[in-house]
Amino acid sequence: MTPEILYKSHNAIVIYKPPMMPSQSDTSGDKDALTLTSEQLKGMGEREELYLINRLDRVVSGLMIFARN
């Protein structure tokens, strides 16, 4: 599963995080929403640096916002 980018601007990105995916890296080593979104941006030729604004528990799906600057 990959997070879906719903909105993208110079300042922020809003994604849909699927359930059972960590918001950020943890000791499990599972791919996380922050890393996967950053990889998606890199694949589009865009700056991949993101900053976490909010987190969701692993079991929860929903919207997450990342700052871009």
Side-chain angles (χ1 to χ4, degrees), residues 2-15:
T2 304
E4 179 184 355
I5 297 174
L6 302 174
Y7 172 80
K8 179 173 60 164
S9 74
H10 177 72
N11 297 312
I13 290 183
V14 177
I15 66 155

Side-chain angles (χ1 to χ4, degrees), residues 14-52:
V14 177
I15 66 155
Y16 170 77
K17 182 192 86 67
M20 303 312 293
M21 176 183 290
S23 292
Q24 66 188 77
S25 62
D26 62 13
T27 57
S28 72
D30 293 343
K31 286 287 193 168
D32 60 276
L34 180 65
T35 301
L36 289 169
T37 304
S38 180
E39 290 172 358
Q40 284 182 26
L41 291 173
K42 184 177 182 179
M44 292 185 243
E46 296 192 29
R47 186 171 52 90
E48 60 200 84
E49 190 172 9
L50 296 174
Y51 304 95
L52 193 66

